[in-house]
Amino acid sequence: MLLEAQDLKKHFETRKGVVKAVDGVSFALEPGKTFALVGESGCGKSTLAKLMLLLERPTSGSVRFRGREVSSLRGRALRQFRREVQAVFQDPYSSLNPRLRVGKIIAEPMLAQGDLSRAEIRKRVEEALEVVGLPTTAARLYPHEFSGGQRQRIAVARALAVRPEVVILDEPTSALDVSIRAQILNLLSDVQDEFGLSYLIIAHDLALVEHFSDATGVMYLGNMVEQGPTEAVFGAPAHPYTQALLASAPRPDPDHVLPTDVIIGEIGSAMNVPSGCPFHPRCPQRTAQCETVQPERHVSAPGAWARCHLLHGPAPRPASLRPDQLERTST
Amino acid sequence: MSLIEPIEPAAALEVRNLVTELRLRRGTLRPVDGVSFSVAKGQTLGIVGESGSGKSMTCLSLLRLLPRPGGRIAGGEVVVAGTDLTKLSDRELARDWRGRRISMVTQDPMSSLNPVYTIGDQVGAPLRYHRIARTRSDARARAAEALGKVRIPSPEARLHDYPHQFSGGMRQRVVSAMAIACAPEVMIADEPTSSLDVTIQVKMMDLYRQIQEETGVAIVLITHDMGVAASICDRIAVMYAGRIVEQGPAKELFRNPAHPYTQSLLSAIPKLGEKRKRLYALGGQPPSLTAMPKGCRFAPRCALADAKCHASYPGETNLGAGHRTNCWRVAEGGAPHAA
């Protein structure tokens, strides 16, 4: 396993109470593969991405990179981690410094690493621009001279320049137009194949996730409610929340009728997570048990599991976990 | 119109050859350049297009909410109930039409609600302004009624709440309640669901359908999301670079898109349940308003473009049942397939 989260929690103390943004999430990213996190706003997927980037430190649980605990790294070791794990953010208008030339923007992570010569950095900037399909002359221009799609290419170039193993993509195309979106998605696929990158992608567009990822985790109020190979999660969704998300996604098909009874009300508050199954107040299939008892994980398909009382499969045993860790992560 | 054409129901809104100009220091731009469409009573027209295609400018033109100074309607007609709105004075438009017979829902419910006024005051405001409610208590009662229509639970109790006490989905309901409070004939909704999560979005779309059934309001829905357009619209118009390049009944447009731009838009989106494959990616980007191509505006990105496409703008080809497109390839009888 390349990058792993184990029983990861992030709680924020506020004046009004504790926000349980991420509350006991485990997943693993395999080398060369893409893991997608989906869920509605407020489900904790962006906080989870920040935890994996070590931009936020977990309240408890661990982040492992190549089997090594990294969640408390500082200084030089943290810089080394940042070289391996890069990010591309949603909005290429706010993620690029408007006062810097593109060449400097792409060079900055390498300058921060501080171990490359100027000539080497210049060479890598040119290479990165070439990889993302921009002319090397782009290095002398400022971000405002580029369109949204080109800016996102610059953001991808910046992430690639330090030659990372993992790139965390936080809604990488949702600020872009449809015709530009396909260009960026194809580019991301190409560089993944070329450099053997692993992606952790956060997206709300389910069709995009199905198209782009190998494994998917569905989050709801800080919890992972279903996880598994993308084909299993999308082909036979086991959790009523996943079913509701998929049924609610608008499809470019005028014959498709959107259901209105698959989910009740709106997402709850992470400050006041419902008892039992966190999804029960919105679940049309809930029973008395759902209101009081938190469901265990049940195998729903090979390699896939969901946390729901309606399921009766055995508990999953992820190969990535050593037996002594099993107890902690399956509670 | 030939006899074979089905008789279209009476139009609640008819836009003919609308041209909007923006006068800037560096020159005059035309974000909307000859747009024509109509929406029947009780029907929804979707205007789809990418950013900069002119879809939002078209809507702002209908309500004469263009940026000032500089923005103006340079030509065309906007007809609601037999009245050409472009001929009215600003005062007449504000007094009798805008918010009264033609209203608008904007994208971001947080910025279209004033944080320091209660929901009751804000939903009641158009009722008071247009003198539908003569007293404060009457405005309150009617505001509660409007909130009930958008399915906000216990509307009377919520009149005294402020916008921050509502969730995103509920705020969008409040904005919709303001738009339907005066029982308009036409409602323009500019990306009304794109800031909402899918499970909330699906409920908003269902709500619009119900409101339409109850009131017969004609809706113009602006969206960049082909999925949203497919699930709620009766007709769809596709805009590109300030012009409508194709329009027709939703089913027809999705099943048999005629214009190469529509075809590439539909092929560029990943679809649920579809085998994983490389997406069709349209190269290049839309033209800038300051450098519009002389001929077909899509020609520089079109795989099928030839000399004629670059030289002059194609006229409209009628494909039957209200399905029309502007494309030289279609006009010449070919069945283009770009994607």
Side-chain angles (χ1 to χ4, degrees):
Chain A
M1 288 307 123
L2 197 56
L3 186 64
E4 269 176 285
Q6 280 177 17
D7 201 22
L8 207 55
K9 290 186 182 173
K10 180 66 186 178
H11 295 178
F12 295 98
E13 307 264 348
T14 70
R15 267 186 305 171
K16 291 181 192 164
V18 178
V19 176
K20 296 180 175 174
V22 174
D23 201 22
V25 166
S26 306
F27 72 93
L29 179 60
E30 291 178 47
K33 301 282 187 185
T34 299
F35 189 98
L37 287 170
V38 301
E40 291 172 284
S41 30
C43 73
K45 57 191 195 296
S46 289
T47 304
L48 185 53
K50 284 186 191 151
L51 288 169
M52 302 313 284
L53 281 164
L54 303 186
L55 292 173
E56 293 277 2
R57 302 295 173 138
T59 309
S60 70
S62 70
V63 178
R64 287 164 180 270
F65 183 67
R66 291 211 186 97
R68 224 179 96 227
E69 173 66 46
V70 292
S71 56
S72 53
L73 293 184
R74 310 260 165 217
R76 185 191 300 228
L78 178 61
R79 272 207 303 279
Q80 180 59 37
F81 173 80
R82 293 259 151 86
R83 172 181 308 200
E84 311 277 13
V85 182
Q86 279 287 315
V88 174
F89 295 102
Q90 173 170 2
D91 182 2
Y93 290 82
S94 57
S95 69
L96 303 179
N97 186 338
R99 290 162 181 266
L100 299 185
R101 290 178 200 272
V102 166
K104 184 77 190 294
I105 288 172
I106 297 172
E108 268 210 319
M110 292 182 279
L111 293 167
Q113 294 290 345
D115 56 355
L116 293 173
S117 69
R118 291 181 62 143
E120 174 67 14
I121 289 176
R122 195 173 312 123
K123 195 175 121 240
R124 286 221 198 163
V125 167
E126 286 180 5
E127 278 170 9
L129 282 170
E130 205 168 304
V131 166
V132 300
L134 289 173
T136 51
T137 51
R140 290 198 300 271
L141 303 174
Y142 287 95
H144 75 262
E145 296 174 82
F146 295 88
S147 68
Q150 289 170 327
R151 283 182 212 215
Q152 201 59 314
R153 286 176 193 268
I154 295 167
V156 173
R158 173 175 59 185
L160 294 181
V162 290
R163 300 186 180 159
E165 296 256 344
V166 178
V167 180
I168 295 181
L169 307 163
D170 189 353
E171 298 277 9
T173 62
S174 50
L176 307 174
D177 272 316
V178 179
S179 71
I180 309 300
R181 233 175 250 191
Q183 293 175 10
I184 296 295
L185 286 175
N186 286 343
L187 168 70
L188 289 170
S189 294
D190 291 346
V191 296
Q192 178 168 41
D193 292 346
E194 194 175 338
F195 302 105
L197 293 173
S198 306
Y199 287 149
L200 173 63
I201 183 170
I202 294 170
H204 69 277
D205 181 342
L206 295 166
L208 183 157
V209 165
E210 184 181 16
H211 178 85
F212 196 72
S213 69
D214 301 289
T216 301
V218 183
M219 288 187 73
Y220 189 79
L221 283 184
N223 289 267
M224 196 79 95
V225 297
E226 181 162 3
Q227 189 180 307
T230 298
E231 274 174 31
V233 174
F234 281 76
H239 197 283
Y241 179 59
T242 314
Q243 293 165 1
L245 271 185
L246 278 170
S248 304
R251 297 166 194 235
D253 171 7
D255 294 321
H256 178 73
V257 179
L258 289 172
T260 52
D261 53 357
V262 288
I263 198 162
I264 302 159
E266 301 189 7
I267 193 167
S269 160
M271 198 176 292
N272 191 8
V273 178
S275 61
C277 170
F279 184 60
H280 86 257
R282 300 182 74 190
C283 185
Q285 303 176 59
R286 67 164 175 253
T287 62
Q289 187 191 17
C290 305
E291 292 168 29
T292 50
V293 185
Q294 204 183 11
E296 294 295 318
R297 300 186 298 168
H298 296 281
V299 170
S300 51
W305 56 259
R307 256 180 217 280
C308 178
H309 288 305
L310 297 170
L311 302 171
H312 302 286
R317 303 229 157 216
S320 66
L321 300 185
R322 296 189 302 275
D324 60 299
Q325 294 169 332
L326 271 178
E327 204 162 28
R328 203 154 54 90
T329 52
S330 62
T331 46
Chain B
M1 201 181 283
S2 76
L3 285 172
I4 311 150
E5 283 264 314
I7 298 162
E8 293 201 6
L13 166 69
E14 184 145 13
V15 176
R16 294 190 205 113
N17 214 15
L18 183 70
V19 178
T20 302
E21 286 184 350
L22 284 178
R23 282 191 192 176
L24 306 175
R25 254 177 309 175
R26 58 197 161 111
T28 300
L29 307 178
R30 277 197 176 186
V32 181
D33 194 8
V35 162
S36 303
F37 60 83
S38 70
V39 199
K41 186 175 189 301
Q43 298 249 306
T44 300
L45 170 82
I47 301 184
V48 299
E50 299 179 87
S51 25
S53 62
K55 56 193 196 304
S56 289
M57 271 302 198
T58 302
C59 285
L60 294 176
S61 306
L62 301 184
L63 289 158
R64 211 184 288 172
L65 291 172
L66 295 167
R68 285 186 188 185
R72 68 177 195 113
I73 293 173
E77 292 167 24
V78 176
V79 181
V80 178
T83 304
D84 180 1
L85 302 189
T86 63
K87 302 283 187 295
L88 300 176
S89 69
D90 284 354
R91 206 167 147 258
E92 283 173 310
L93 186 76
R95 192 187 59 203
D96 301 330
W97 295 87
R98 193 195 295 136
R100 168 74 188 81
R101 301 182 73 174
I102 175 166
S103 65
M104 181 151 184
V105 178
T106 50
Q107 174 169 2
D108 179 6
M110 203 56 215
S111 59
S112 42
L113 290 172
N114 190 325
V116 302
Y117 287 99
T118 64
I119 293 305
D121 283 343
Q122 296 190 60
V123 179
L127 290 158
R128 300 262 290 169
Y129 181 87
H130 294 293
R131 307 192 175 221
I132 290 168
R134 295 283 177 169
T135 64
R136 274 183 77 92
S137 63
D138 190 18
R140 234 163 237 295
R142 286 173 188 266
E145 196 186 320
L147 291 177
K149 275 195 188 141
V150 295
R151 275 70 173 176
I152 288 182
S154 41
E156 284 89 5
R158 302 225 62 179
L159 288 175
H160 304 283
D161 286 349
Y162 289 88
H164 75 268
Q165 292 166 293
F166 289 76
S167 67
M170 283 295 151
R171 269 184 225 136
Q172 194 57 294
R173 282 172 193 256
V174 171
V175 173
S176 306
M178 287 170 74
I180 61 160
C182 298
E185 284 133 284
V186 181
M187 180 168 90
I188 295 161
D190 189 354
E191 302 271 11
T193 62
S194 37
S195 62
L196 305 176
D197 282 310
V198 287
T199 60
I200 309 301
Q201 173 170 282
V202 71
K203 289 185 178 154
M204 278 310 292
M205 293 196 285
D206 189 47
L207 176 70
Y208 285 136
R209 210 174 295 140
Q210 289 178 28
I211 289 173
Q212 197 166 48
E213 267 169 34
E214 288 162 18
T215 66
V217 64
I219 299 177
V220 179
L221 177 86
I222 310 280
T223 182
H224 67 277
D225 187 329
M226 297 299 256
V228 169
S231 48
I232 192 170
C233 299
D234 300 290
R235 287 178 59 84
I236 289 172
V238 181
M239 275 193 88
Y240 188 79
R243 286 183 175 163
I244 291 177
V245 295
E246 178 168 8
Q247 61 177 310
K251 290 196 178 193
E252 179 58 22
L253 197 116
F254 276 94
R255 284 202 198 112
N256 300 309
H259 197 282
Y261 177 62
T262 316
Q263 290 171 357
S264 36
L265 267 191
L266 287 170
S267 334
I269 35 180
K271 290 165 198 78
L272 279 172
E274 202 179 65
K275 260 222 133 80
R276 208 174 153 176
K277 58 156 204 220
R278 204 175 162 77
L279 290 172
Y280 174 82
L282 189 57
Q285 36 191 308
S288 150
L289 284 174
T290 53
M292 262 319 156
K294 189 154 59 85
C296 171
R297 294 174 173 187
F298 184 61
R301 300 174 81 186
C302 183
L304 306 166
D306 64 10
K308 192 178 210 170
C309 302
H310 290 287
S312 64
Y313 194 80
E316 195 169 79
T317 308
N318 196 337
L319 301 162
H323 187 186
R324 303 188 283 271
T325 189
N326 297 68
C327 172
W328 280 119
R329 285 280 157 277
V330 179
E332 285 161 357
H337 233 279

